[in-house]
Every structure is written in structure tokens, then in C-alpha cells.
Amino acid sequence: MELSQAIELIRSNDFNKDTIETWADLGCGSGLFTNALLSYLHPKSTVYAVDQYPVKINHPAVILKQMDFITADWDFPKLDGILMANSLHFVEDKPSFLRKVKAALKPNGTLLLVEYDTDTPNHWVPFPASFSSLKRILLEAGFKNVHRLQEQPSIYGKANLYASWIN
């Protein structure tokens, strides 16, 4: 996926470029979606890029954190937002994990997800969650609003990628 496609996939009118915010990108991988997120944030915002094997992201707003985001204790300040792009499908116990996410967010904080719209696991997506399945789990975890943003075909399979804005 190209950066321009990632930027378009997470596009939302709910971003506020006028406010300095603190976000975390859990499972940042190569930093593609970290960079997409940065295009929507105030230039003085901070993004914690978290991965077991983080790649150096050359941006002054990015703080790299090497950890397993699923099992580690997070030492972030309360967050305005958490981005999880193609990483929630590695979490087996989604209800417990999403309660942890909710607790890490400020009261009006946002969870921005990118996932495959399937419930069928495979080697690369061991614990998938389609939008409809995930919406139910998110509401049970205490989130109030779950909005589907954009979607686009995946080059890896039959299921589309979708983005969702949750608070």
C-alpha cells in the first residue's frame, strides 16, 4: 500500500489539526499508517510508534517504543487517540484488550482501526474481526460510537480493508 492510499483510508472529518494531541500507533510495523496519521495531526502532536521490532521513523513527532503492545504494561500518558492498523487481528482476547485500550484513552479519546472485513482466520490474520463482529465487541467494551470510514480491496485476499473511527 502506498502512503497516499493509507492517508485516504483513515480520512475522517473528526481529526482536529488545531489541537496538539498525543496518540499511540500500536503495532506500527514499517510506519506507513504512523505517517498517514501524522498528515492529519497538529505538527506539534506526539505519536508513540509501538512495535516489537519498530522501524526508525524519521519524524520529530514520533517516539519509538519497542514492546509487545498486547502483553506489555503501557507507560503512556492518557492518550487522545490510539491507531491500530492491521494489528488488532493479532489479539486473541479482544474484549479484555479493548477495555485496556479504553482505559488508556482520555474520556473523549478515539480508537482508529484498520482491519480486514472477515471473521475467517488465516496464517497472517490469526484472530480477524469483521466490522460487524468488532462493532459488537467495541460496544461491550464501553465504546459508544463506532463509525465505518473508508474501505479498499486488499492485495492479500478476498476481504476488503476497512477503517473505523471509534470513541
Side-chain angles (χ1 to χ4, degrees), residues 55-141:
V55 174
K56 180 147 179 62
I57 301 169
N58 292 317
H59 193 287
V62 175
I63 299 171
L64 293 176
K65 298 283 250 179
Q66 183 174 8
M67 70 171 87
D68 180 339
F69 70 85
I70 299 169
T71 60
D73 290 328
W74 302 340
D75 60 351
F76 313 123
K78 283 286 189 174
L79 298 166
D80 296 290
I82 293 176
L83 168 65
M84 295 187 72
N86 298 322
S87 57
L88 187 62
H89 60 244
F90 292 109
V91 177
E92 185 172 11
D93 183 1
K94 287 178 183 41
S96 295
F97 182 79
L98 290 169
R99 285 191 294 275
K100 179 179 177 180
V101 166
K102 179 87 170 125
L105 291 169
K106 291 179 180 177
N108 59 345
T110 299
L111 173 59
L112 177 57
L113 288 177
V114 175
E115 274 300 333
Y116 294 96
D117 200 5
T118 184
D119 291 314
T120 305
N122 62 47
H123 178 73
W124 298 274
V125 183
F127 309 108
S130 66
F131 180 76
S132 59
S133 296
L134 190 58
K135 185 174 183 178
R136 179 186 45 78
I137 297 167
L138 287 160
L139 294 172
E140 289 172 2

Side-chain angles (χ1 to χ4, degrees), residues 1-2 5 9 33 86 89 114-118 120 122 124-125 128 148 150-163:
M1 178 179 295
E2 299 292 324
Q5 293 171 301
L9 185 60
F33 280 94
N86 298 322
H89 60 244
V114 175
E115 274 300 333
Y116 294 96
D117 200 5
T118 184
T120 305
N122 62 47
W124 298 274
V125 183
R148 189 178 189 124
Q150 288 68 238
E151 69 177 73
Q152 61 183 286
S154 167
I155 61 170
Y156 297 112
K158 296 179 174 108
N160 283 349
L161 281 170
Y162 68 88

Side-chain angles (χ1 to χ4, degrees), residues 3-16:
L3 179 59
S4 61
Q5 293 171 301
I7 290 169
E8 176 58 24
L9 185 60
I10 66 169
R11 179 180 44 81
S12 172
N13 293 332
D14 292 311
F15 281 111
N16 183 355

